Amino acid sequence: MLHTYAASGLVASPASGVFSLTWLLIALPLAGAGVLLLGGRRTDGFGHLLGNATSWAAFLVGLALFAGLLGRGAGSRAVGQHLFSWVPVGGLQVSAGLLLDPLSMCFVLLITFVGSLIHLYSVGYMAHDPDRRRFFAYLNLFVAAMLLLVLSDSYLTLYVGWEGVGLASYLLIGFWNRNPEYAAAAKKAFVVNRVGDFGLSVAIMIMFATFGRVDFVGVFAGTSHASSAVLTAIGLMLLLGATGKSAQFPLQSWLGDAMAGPTPVSALIHAATMVTAGVYLVVRSSPIFDAAPTARLLVVAVGAVTLLFGAVIGLAKDDLKKALAASTMSQIGYMMLGAGLGPVGYSFAIFHLLTHGFFKAGLFLGAGSVMHGMNDQTNLRGFGGLSKVMKITWLTFGAGFLAIIGFPGASGFWSKDKIIEAAFVGSGWQPWVFGLAAMLGAGLTAYYMTRLFAMTFHGQARWSDDVHPHESPLVMTIPMMVLALGSLFLGAVLGPTGAITGWLEPVVGAASEGGTVLAPTVISLATLALVVIGAGLAWLAYGMRPVPTAVPAATWATVAARRDLYQDAFNEAAFMRPGQYLTRSLVYVDNRGVDGVVNGLAALVGGTSGRVRRWQTGFVRSYALSMLTGAAVVVAALLLVRL
């Protein structure tokens, strides 16, 4: 049966031929996770091999499916695969099915390829961990859950993958849960994400109440008949879900703490899986947001605030991984901003998501390589001069550095700058506010990334005598080299050629050509100027001058940035403490009110029975006297009646 589901009228045809293998994308890594978890210690010897084999096999299946889609016309690049009838309950009829189209295909290739490179890297990084087999099981589970999320053909099935990603992230962030801080970080990520998940679940409920369906076909077809208030409510709830999963304002507090997990986990979460899920949700739901301009405007606002929020935090971080985490927050903010711009930005948001997947994975794996050679240290003030002893790491990390700051020709230049340009499209105050925010973020990104790069690889060596930096083994550096190539050239392949916009057009529609409030050339030159200024100032401060090993005295602004702009303090004051007081009040009411009534009634019955029980003495003479007294009372009553 054919289904039209996209804003541009894309028709999904039933799976046949090679497309009948779509289910293997999820089944392969899921089977790997199942074998490694259920097999236990018996699979320790080959756990890392099986984990890699299933992930790479999923990538090969993805390549075959991609080739199959390329062989079709633009209007028929969508295939639906029915798996089974899942929820046949009254008016709710939900089948478990998969949807392979240009949008989900982008994520399939990113997740399986970058995820498989991270699997390969982990063979070396986790070589001496006694629980390496369990680690690869969790990696497989993460990949399978993310693939289910992006391949689902309904919001309910998507929600299963959404929660699976949350579970896998909890397991991986807290993998070294012997450390209480790491366990707390995993719990924090899990709890904060539950807030966002509540929003997604409410959105699904509203969809069913409004449309009677939760599949993409039914929901998108019903948007033309629903009221703007209902569509706005759905859009806001979807945005709440996206802010939690993609660590956007105000639910971004978990991302920095998520660095507690092994570094490959950071690369997987930040580059190919979890934090990209929110962007996918918004772009996939484009028909809803197009019909709810208020909700879409809030998506832009959240993205703009978050990209600046993350950039400011990154300026002051001395922890290598936490500085990169702040940059992820900022870069996802760019994607959310682009997604909120509507048809003018949907394709560019996904474009930047793909390039970011390569350069951010490369940066995190490079950070892991630095830690591998520096006894797991992450303090930037204890590095310096590593370019002389870790040349491959320096070069590959440098490729990611050039990409993220938007160096001309590198991947980030083609993708992020298109979002900045799209932000200036429109009229009124919005293009000025959001465009200038995006442009300012580019300058801040250049500063904090140049600071990080200079403090790590250049200047005088500041490590202690017991540290002996060395290059990582090939099993770790080969994935870094591949990601470096993508960081440098993927943008040029997809951007100037128009390949990415043409590929996504059947799903999100043609990128609307709106006029910018500034000439595109002016926007590009101004952005480049800010990048040069930001990078130059950081190089003068950290590349040309000695970096003190001790943390210098900080201003109030620096202290605020180091404390993540007090996001934890705000969450505690605004949500945790009031929630704590509310629960304590409810417990008091329950104890003294509900339980008080029940316990009081029980005490009354118990006390009464205790007193009545005294009449039961067990002496025959007492019972005889009672019988005599009763008989006398009865006789007296009868006499009174006769009278």
Side-chain angles (χ1 to χ4, degrees):
M1 182 177 181
L2 301 179
H3 292 299
T4 302
Y5 72 95
S8 58
L10 187 63
V11 176
S13 58
S16 60
V18 68
F19 297 109
S20 61
L21 302 177
T22 304
W23 65 277
L24 284 175
L25 289 169
I26 302 167
L28 286 167
L30 187 61
V35 170
L36 295 180
L37 290 174
L38 297 177
R41 292 293 180 184
R42 290 169 292 183
T43 62
D44 279 355
F46 60 87
H48 58 293
L49 299 177
L50 180 61
N52 269 273
T54 55
S55 184
W56 283 106
F59 170 64
L60 294 177
V61 173
L63 279 182
L65 296 174
F66 177 57
L69 285 186
L70 281 177
R72 291 184 163 210
S76 58
R77 286 176 178 163
V79 179
Q81 184 175 33
H82 174 79
L83 299 179
F84 54 87
S85 180
W86 182 27
V87 188
V89 180
L92 181 60
Q93 301 289 325
V94 181
S95 64
L98 306 179
L99 173 63
L100 188 69
D101 66 355
L103 178 59
S104 58
M105 193 74 250
C106 288
F107 281 85
V108 165
L109 294 178
L110 176 68
I111 295 164
T112 56
F113 183 60
V114 175
S116 296
L117 289 174
I118 294 171
H119 274 70
L120 180 61
Y121 175 95
S122 301
V123 173
Y125 191 88
M126 301 293 290
H128 303 294
D129 195 294
D131 292 320
R132 182 170 66 167
R133 178 263 317 164
R134 181 165 56 88
F135 180 78
F136 277 93
Y138 293 163
L139 286 184
N140 272 189
L141 180 62
F142 210 145
V143 169
M146 189 65 189
L147 287 169
L148 175 61
L149 192 159
V150 300
L151 285 168
S152 297
D153 66 353
S154 74
Y155 283 99
L156 194 59
T157 319
L158 179 151
Y159 191 77
V160 176
W162 190 273
E163 291 302 310
V165 169
L167 170 63
S169 67
Y170 172 77
L171 295 173
L172 285 168
I173 294 170
F175 183 75
W176 290 325
N177 54 32
R178 295 178 297 274
N179 185 326
E181 292 184 6
Y182 293 175
K187 182 173 68 174
K188 180 178 180 180
F190 191 82
V191 170
V192 173
N193 271 272
R194 296 293 74 71
V195 178
D197 296 352
F198 170 78
L200 179 56
S201 63
V202 171
I204 297 173
M205 295 176 195
I206 299 175
M207 290 174 191
F208 176 66
T210 305
F211 309 115
R213 301 172 63 176
V214 294
D215 58 296
F216 296 152
V217 174
V219 171
F220 297 161
T223 55
S224 59
H225 308 293
S227 67
S228 60
V230 169
L231 293 174
T232 299
I234 295 175
L236 293 178
M237 290 298 100
L238 291 175
L239 175 59
L240 179 59
T243 56
K245 198 66 73 181
S246 291
Q248 298 293 283
F249 181 84
L251 298 179
Q252 75 284 1
S253 61
W254 65 271
L255 195 60
D257 297 84
M259 298 303 98
T263 301
V265 175
S266 304
L268 193 61
I269 290 177
H270 288 247
T273 54
M274 186 167 179
V275 295
T276 64
V279 181
Y280 169 79
L281 180 65
V282 173
V283 175
R284 174 61 78 190
S285 305
S286 58
I288 295 174
F289 285 98
D290 287 341
T294 301
R296 204 173 73 186
L297 177 60
L298 284 176
V299 174
V300 180
V302 166
V305 170
T306 307
L307 74 88
L308 292 176
F309 199 104
V312 170
I313 292 175
L315 295 173
K317 288 295 184 182
D318 288 334
D319 185 288
L320 175 59
K321 290 177 66 177
K322 289 191 175 183
L324 290 176
S327 77
T328 297
M329 190 190 307
S330 181
Q331 297 303 305
I332 301 293
Y334 273 104
M335 300 172 207
M336 292 294 287
L337 187 151
L341 293 173
V344 74
Y346 288 136
S347 296
F348 300 138
I350 299 301
F351 183 19
H352 192 52
L353 186 150
L354 295 176
T355 60
H356 176 266
F358 278 81
F359 64 70
K360 183 52 59 68
L363 289 170
F364 266 111
L365 296 189
S369 180
V370 170
M371 293 170 60
H372 182 268
M374 294 292 292
N375 293 350
D376 288 331
Q377 295 183 23
T378 59
N379 185 5
L380 295 173
R381 297 186 180 277
F383 295 157
L386 292 180
S387 62
K388 301 175 182 177
V389 292
M390 303 180 71
K391 293 188 181 299
I392 296 178
T393 300
W394 170 60
L395 289 172
T396 55
F397 196 99
F401 160 70
L402 293 176
I404 194 173
I405 69 171
F407 186 83
S411 290
F413 171 79
W414 299 109
S415 59
K416 186 170 69 176
D417 281 31
K418 293 301 293 185
I419 294 177
I420 297 174
E421 183 179 326
F424 279 100
V425 172
S427 60
W429 60 269
Q430 296 179 18
W432 289 105
V433 171
F434 298 133
L436 291 176
M439 189 180 288
L440 176 60
L444 295 176
T445 300
Y447 186 94
Y448 72 73
M449 285 303 303
T450 303
R451 173 182 180 269
L452 183 152
F453 188 65
M455 291 178 72
T456 303
F457 294 101
H458 296 277
Q460 296 179 349
R462 299 181 298 277
W463 59 78
S464 57
D465 295 336
D466 61 330
V467 176
H468 305 285
H470 56 278
E471 189 57 88
S472 300
L474 282 176
V475 72
M476 294 172 63
T477 56
I478 287 177
M480 291 159 56
M481 296 177 197
V482 175
L483 292 169
L485 292 175
S487 301
L488 292 176
F489 304 115
L490 181 63
V493 172
L494 298 179
T497 62
I500 188 65
T501 53
W503 175 256
L504 291 173
E505 183 176 333
V507 180
V508 299
S512 61
E513 297 293 335
T516 56
V517 295
L518 292 174
T521 303
V522 174
I523 297 173
S524 297
L525 291 176
T527 302
L528 182 59
L530 286 174
V531 168
V532 171
I533 292 172
L537 291 175
W539 183 259
L540 287 175
Y542 298 96
M544 303 295 291
R545 299 175 184 174
V547 176
T549 56
V551 180
T555 63
W556 67 268
T558 306
V559 171
R562 288 175 181 168
R563 296 183 180 179
D564 298 342
L565 299 182
Y566 302 108
Q567 54 185 314
D568 283 332
F570 173 78
N571 289 339
E572 180 177 346
F575 303 111
M576 192 275 279
R577 292 300 178 191
Q580 189 179 61
Y581 296 146
L582 175 62
T583 54
R584 287 177 178 175
S585 300
L586 293 176
V587 169
Y588 179 83
V589 171
D590 181 63
N591 289 337
R592 298 303 177 93
V594 178
D595 288 352
V597 172
V598 174
N599 294 336
L601 181 61
L604 176 63
V605 173
T608 303
S609 63
R611 290 175 174 82
V612 172
R613 188 168 58 245
R614 296 174 184 173
W615 298 351
Q616 306 298 320
T617 63
F619 296 113
V620 175
R621 61 178 180 271
S622 298
Y623 298 150
L625 179 61
S626 298
M627 294 170 63
L628 178 61
T629 303
V633 170
V634 171
V635 171
L638 291 174
L639 291 174
L640 289 174
V641 171
R642 286 177 176 274
L643 294 175

